[in-house]
Amino acid sequence: MPRFSIIVPVFKVQGFLRECLDSVLEQSYTDLEVIAVDDCSPDGCGAILDEYAARDPRVRVLHLPRNVGLGRARNAGIPYAGGEFLFFLDSDDTLTPGALRAIADRLDEIAGTDGPESPDVLVFDYARTYWWGGTRRNVLAHLLSEAGDGTFRAAEHPEILELLMVVWNKVYRRDFVEREGFTFPPGYYEDTPWTFPVMLSAERIATLDRICLNYRQRRQGNILSTTSRKHFDIHDQYERVFAFVDSRPELARWRPYLHRKMGEHCLDILAKPDRLPASDKGEFFARTAALFRRHRSGPVPPELRVLLGGYARYRAGRQAARAGGELARRGQRARSAAVTRIKRGWSAAHGLRPLDPGLAVYSAFSHRGVHGDPGAVYRAARELAPHIRGVWVVRADQVALLPPGVEHVTPDSLDYRRVTARATYFVNNVNWPGSLVKREGSVHIHTHQGTPLKYMGADLLGKPGARYGFDVPQMLRRADRWDYSLVANRHSELVWDRAYPCHFTSLRTGSPRNDLLVRARPEDGLPVRARLGIPAGHRVVLYAPTRRDYVRGGHLERVDLARFAADLGEGHTLVVRLHPSLDGPARGAGLSELHRRGVVVDATDEPHVEELMLASDVLVTDYSALLFDYANLDRPIVVHADDWGAYAASRGAYFDITADAPGHVTRSYQELARLFASGAWRDAESARLRAGFRARFCAFDDGRAAERVVRTLMLGEHVEGPARSVQVPAQAEHDVLTSS
């Protein structure tokens, strides 16, 4: 029998689930089993659980046929637990390193000094870990040490009940739970009618003054950040607590304490600005007051006497308490509002007019023109939905480069305000500026800029060098406007869930810009070759390096371009495509001169990178996201990773591209030159690596992504996705707790 049975209920946490499971399975103390309960999760959680179960015999997965909610999912796991102690771990939280060893040692210590019987409950400490990188320890942690080294009953140290009444900061002796028949009720706040009965019934309670769990504070996606009537469930849960106490006469002395805790808990929910809809607060107060009066069993503390009056009196007291601070804040808000009205004046005025269902606004790469995924969606919409007028937001210096017939506006112009005030559809691969107000009914489609290898979004909070000058909280506030996030593979879906903790729905559409590559024919690159002056019959090597975050300006010359071009030899043309942000400094180092002399072809200014990919025979890159797109062509890829360690340390990476590469990896120029001289760049091993990479990262790219976006989101048609499921709710859109 294992020492610990760790029961993990799982529902819509695909972005955090691996981290949770790894924190358990990588513990130094290994005498454990994991009972993972898939609560009919509609995302990728079930597949992740099966993957872990296949490689670790300590993991057992229960797939429930229907969604039953957090509490009853825990109940489903209990009968399968064979451990001495039960540990209920939420699937977005993590254990700290060494946590189980510390818990096991504390249990052994108690058995050695306080009698042979294990405690019924061991309470340990936790830390709140915030999405923005902050960490805060439990402010009542001192109660754990003050409880002493032995075991006790709640009556002997009643202050232990002041700790957060949750299920996951404790381990429970399984025999005790089974003997008492404890189960979780349906609904929300289900920890309340579990924890109070358990703590009041336990004969032997022990404590451990150590942080054993990281309690994840998600930016969005749990009940504490959800405004809804779900919080009314607290009343039913306290009714269950009182019913339990009534069923056990020996616990009658706890009624005054529970009466106070109930009043404090409900008033705390009512006071929070983001918990209850404003229209429901009066009803919530009335129900709380009725419950408070019904279970009154002694004097009422002064701070709870407000529950003996009416809601109007409660509101008056709250307003009076806030009045002083509000006056000070009001002046600042007025000044800020004045500035905002000037910037948004036109949008505010036109916001009174209805949205135009036949108007879509597009932008790509910070208003650089008709490019990328937005460009592909735009072209598909012109063909499939010609009644929808498409307008591009384009910088003034890029207008001359637009294709003929493209309607456009420039940022912050009067025309820009007109179209953005009334458009129904917004398609972009970069966040819209903060001044753009998202109107109810509008549809914001975020396409991203490719499959992520390097850290993005909120994951950059731990990389100060990489996010220098980048306001992550502001970026997330802008991302809150997204309705849909397009993904080309399961990897991207999981990353965007974590990197952008916002409300959106993931669509497994594939990448619209890659439709061209998926459908490519060998002759499609010939016009581009001719335009670039590449001799007929030449083998084209496309070299596309990315920027570095650990050097000033982002540019670091990794390859001697003149030497590489010479070593490639006759019959080869080296085409260089720099990252747009590397344009200036890199060319100053001589790229323009090499292009002028005909040594290489400088294609940095080419507006459509997909055309360069079509024109090439092989891609040489380091860590550019271009390699994920290029894999759709099924042509050789070489990863030149001579500084992978420095790059990954400074920027952060979601996986090791050198271990999971789409082709051969070189770590020095000599290796790169030998690879091409020998012809091994296109050998059978290269093809094998590429096939595995394509299966993982090109899964949803089937050549119909742009059509799928237009038909699904603009025309309202049902179109099957490339992976059988088109629409997958992102974890951030839904509560941690589920309706029962």
Side-chain angles (χ1 to χ4, degrees):
M1 158 173 94
R3 190 73 177 279
F4 299 108
S5 291
I6 301 176
I7 298 174
V8 185
V10 177
F11 186 72
K12 295 178 183 174
V13 288
Q14 60 182 7
F16 306 109
L17 183 54
R18 292 181 186 276
E19 186 178 358
C20 171
L21 295 175
D22 289 342
S23 77
V24 175
L25 300 175
E26 294 173 3
Q27 289 282 311
S28 59
Y29 189 89
T30 59
D31 189 13
L32 62 93
E33 65 177 358
V34 175
I35 311 296
V37 184
D38 173 16
D39 192 15
C40 202
S41 188
D43 56 6
C45 287
I48 293 173
L49 293 176
D50 290 340
E51 172 192 331
Y52 274 77
R55 69 177 189 233
D56 195 318
R58 295 175 297 171
V59 179
R60 180 172 186 176
V61 181
L62 305 179
H63 294 286
L64 301 185
R66 62 184 183 87
N67 175 246
V68 298
L70 179 59
R72 289 191 286 186
R74 289 170 177 158
N75 291 340
I78 293 176
Y80 295 92
E84 181 183 359
F85 286 90
L86 302 179
F87 191 147
F88 298 98
L89 177 65
D90 285 354
S91 49
D92 57 349
D93 294 337
T94 57
L95 298 185
T96 60
L100 292 183
R101 168 57 66 186
I103 294 172
D105 288 348
R106 179 71 175 117
L107 293 170
D108 292 340
E109 177 187 0
I110 295 169
T113 61
D114 199 43
E117 187 177 356
S118 297
D120 297 324
V121 181
L122 174 69
V123 187
F124 52 80
D125 200 13
Y126 65 92
R128 296 175 186 264
T129 57
Y130 294 87
W131 66 269
W132 42 266
T135 301
R136 181 166 63 88
R137 188 177 186 181
N138 170 23
V139 296
L140 296 178
H142 61 90
L143 298 178
L144 297 172
S145 58
E146 293 171 359
D149 294 330
T151 60
F152 58 90
R153 300 183 65 182
E156 297 169 328
H157 287 286
E159 63 275 5
I160 199 70
L161 299 178
E162 296 300 315
L163 292 170
L164 191 63
M165 284 290 102
V166 290
V167 64
W168 41 256
N169 65 344
K170 308 170 184 71
V171 294
Y172 312 85
R173 189 162 54 85
R174 182 166 58 88
D175 290 346
F176 163 66
V177 171
E178 292 177 347
R179 183 187 73 232
E180 298 292 337
F182 292 126
T183 59
F184 291 92
Y188 299 86
Y189 292 98
E190 78 298 321
D191 283 9
T192 300
W194 166 280
T195 309
F196 278 120
V198 164
M199 295 295 285
L200 297 180
S201 301
E203 296 288 336
R204 293 164 58 85
I205 301 172
T207 61
L208 172 61
D209 185 15
R210 184 192 191 277
I211 295 175
C212 295
L213 182 139
N214 289 320
Y215 174 31
R216 189 186 300 274
Q217 306 294 287
R218 292 157 66 180
R219 181 173 179 268
Q220 297 182 16
N222 58 56
I223 193 170
L224 296 183
S225 62
T226 303
T227 302
S228 75
R229 288 182 59 89
K230 297 169 184 176
H231 300 278
F232 277 78
D233 194 59
I234 190 65
H235 303 123
D236 290 339
Q237 303 297 18
Y238 271 103
E239 288 283 20
R240 292 185 172 101
V241 173
F242 286 116
F244 178 84
V245 171
D246 290 343
S247 71
R248 303 204 178 188
E250 70 274 13
L251 300 180
R253 64 182 298 271
W254 289 103
R255 286 188 59 86
Y257 174 83
L258 294 171
H259 183 252
R260 175 175 65 83
K261 292 295 288 185
M262 180 272 294
E264 291 174 347
H265 196 169
C266 292
L267 285 179
D268 181 67
I269 293 172
L270 185 61
K272 292 292 193 298
D274 59 348
R275 301 291 171 85
L276 293 161
S279 60
D280 293 328
K281 288 189 174 184
E283 181 186 351
F284 186 89
F285 179 90
R287 290 194 188 182
T288 299
L291 182 66
F292 190 76
R293 291 191 296 268
R294 184 161 60 251
H295 292 286
R296 180 177 176 180
S297 57
V300 177
E303 66 273 15
L304 297 179
R305 289 174 186 167
V306 66
L307 287 170
L308 302 179
Y311 181 58
R313 180 181 174 185
Y314 166 81
R315 287 189 61 190
R318 293 280 301 171
Q319 291 169 356
R322 291 195 301 261
E326 180 64 23
L327 286 175
R329 292 190 294 269
R330 191 172 296 169
Q332 179 60 39
R333 286 202 302 267
R335 289 188 292 272
S336 299
V339 174
T340 302
R341 281 195 299 271
I342 293 173
K343 295 178 68 175
R344 302 183 180 180
W346 184 272
S347 295
H350 282 251
L352 299 176
R353 301 174 62 187
L355 294 179
D356 182 351
L359 179 59
V361 179
Y362 298 85
S363 179
F365 301 107
S366 300
H367 314 318
R368 291 177 180 267
V370 184
H371 301 302
D373 290 309
V377 174
Y378 167 75
R379 289 186 288 271
R382 293 188 69 175
E383 176 183 349
L384 301 172
H387 62 284
I388 296 179
R389 172 187 166 209
V391 180
W392 280 84
V393 182
V394 183
R395 290 180 352 203
D397 62 341
Q398 299 293 315
V399 169
L401 302 177
L402 289 175
V406 173
E407 186 177 355
H408 66 276
V409 297
T410 55
D412 293 326
S413 64
L414 186 60
D415 287 337
Y416 168 84
R417 296 189 182 94
R418 283 183 178 135
V419 297
T420 57
R422 298 207 55 208
T424 293
Y425 305 102
F426 291 80
V427 185
N428 204 340
N429 62 4
V430 177
N431 268 326
W432 294 97
S435 58
L436 190 149
V437 179
K438 185 183 191 310
R439 295 184 58 188
E440 184 177 357
S442 63
V443 179
H444 282 240
I445 304 167
H446 193 77
T447 70
H448 304 281
Q449 296 182 38
T451 294
L453 171 62
K454 60 188 179 184
Y455 277 7
M456 303 291 287
D459 289 332
L460 288 173
L461 288 167
K463 298 292 181 181
R467 62 178 173 86
Y468 177 74
F470 182 60
D471 189 334
V472 173
Q474 182 187 73
M475 177 274 296
L476 294 178
R477 287 193 294 271
R478 294 177 178 182
D480 284 333
R481 296 173 296 195
W482 301 355
D483 293 296
Y484 297 98
S485 164
L486 307 188
V487 297
N489 46 65
R490 290 280 294 113
H491 165 76
S492 296
E493 187 174 65
L494 294 173
V495 167
W496 299 144
D497 274 4
R498 285 182 55 95
Y500 297 98
C502 308
H503 287 292
F504 57 79
T505 296
S506 289
L507 289 186
R508 296 178 177 180
T509 57
S511 295
R513 69 185 179 283
N514 287 341
D515 291 345
L516 182 67
L517 304 179
V518 174
R519 298 193 298 257
R521 301 166 300 174
E523 63 270 21
D524 288 345
L526 296 179
V528 184
R529 288 184 175 220
R531 178 162 51 79
L532 295 176
I534 298 173
H538 266 219
R539 177 172 292 136
V540 176
V541 178
L542 175 60
Y543 176 56
T546 192
R547 64 173 290 115
R548 266 68 175 171
D549 292 294
Y550 64 88
V551 296
R552 184 183 298 274
H555 177 65
L556 192 63
E557 190 66 67
R558 310 305 308 175
V559 173
D560 184 331
L561 298 177
R563 181 181 177 185
F564 189 28
D567 287 344
L568 286 173
E570 292 294 329
H572 292 78
T573 295
L574 179 60
V575 177
V576 180
R577 167 76 175 198
L578 298 179
H579 189 280
S581 66
L582 301 181
D583 186 352
R587 292 187 176 186
L591 178 56
S592 296
E593 176 63 17
L594 292 176
H595 175 78
R596 187 188 67 79
R597 290 164 42 198
V599 176
V600 303
V601 174
D602 177 11
T604 302
D605 284 339
E606 284 294 312
H608 302 293
V609 68
E610 60 271 17
E611 294 184 352
L612 298 177
M613 290 190 275
L614 289 172
S616 66
D617 296 293
V618 55
L619 171 68
V620 178
T621 186
D622 35 39
Y623 326 116
S624 171
L626 203 68
L627 57 85
F628 296 99
D629 300 333
Y630 197 86
N632 282 285
L633 288 170
D634 199 18
R635 299 176 189 176
I637 301 172
V638 175
V639 176
H640 186 55
D642 61 337
D643 66 338
W644 171 248
Y647 180 88
S650 62
R651 175 66 192 222
Y654 292 111
F655 66 94
D656 185 351
I657 189 63
T658 66
D660 296 299
H664 289 292
V665 177
T666 60
R667 298 183 183 274
S668 68
Y669 178 76
Q670 290 73 20
E671 290 183 9
L672 179 64
R674 284 197 297 269
L675 188 71
F676 276 90
S678 66
W681 58 275
R682 55 174 179 169
D683 62 9
E685 177 65 6
S686 171
R688 184 189 69 80
L689 292 170
R690 188 167 67 253
F693 192 85
R694 281 166 51 83
R696 180 178 179 186
F697 295 108
C698 303
F700 304 157
D701 283 330
D702 62 355
R704 298 184 57 206
E707 174 191 354
R708 190 172 289 114
V709 172
V710 173
R711 292 193 182 279
T712 301
L713 300 183
M714 294 182 174
L715 298 179
E717 300 176 3
H718 175 74
V719 181
E720 285 298 324
R724 292 193 302 274
S725 173
V726 173
Q727 188 163 316
V728 179
Q731 58 82 18
E733 183 182 5
H734 304 278
D735 299 335
V736 173
L737 310 182
T738 61
S739 179
S740 300

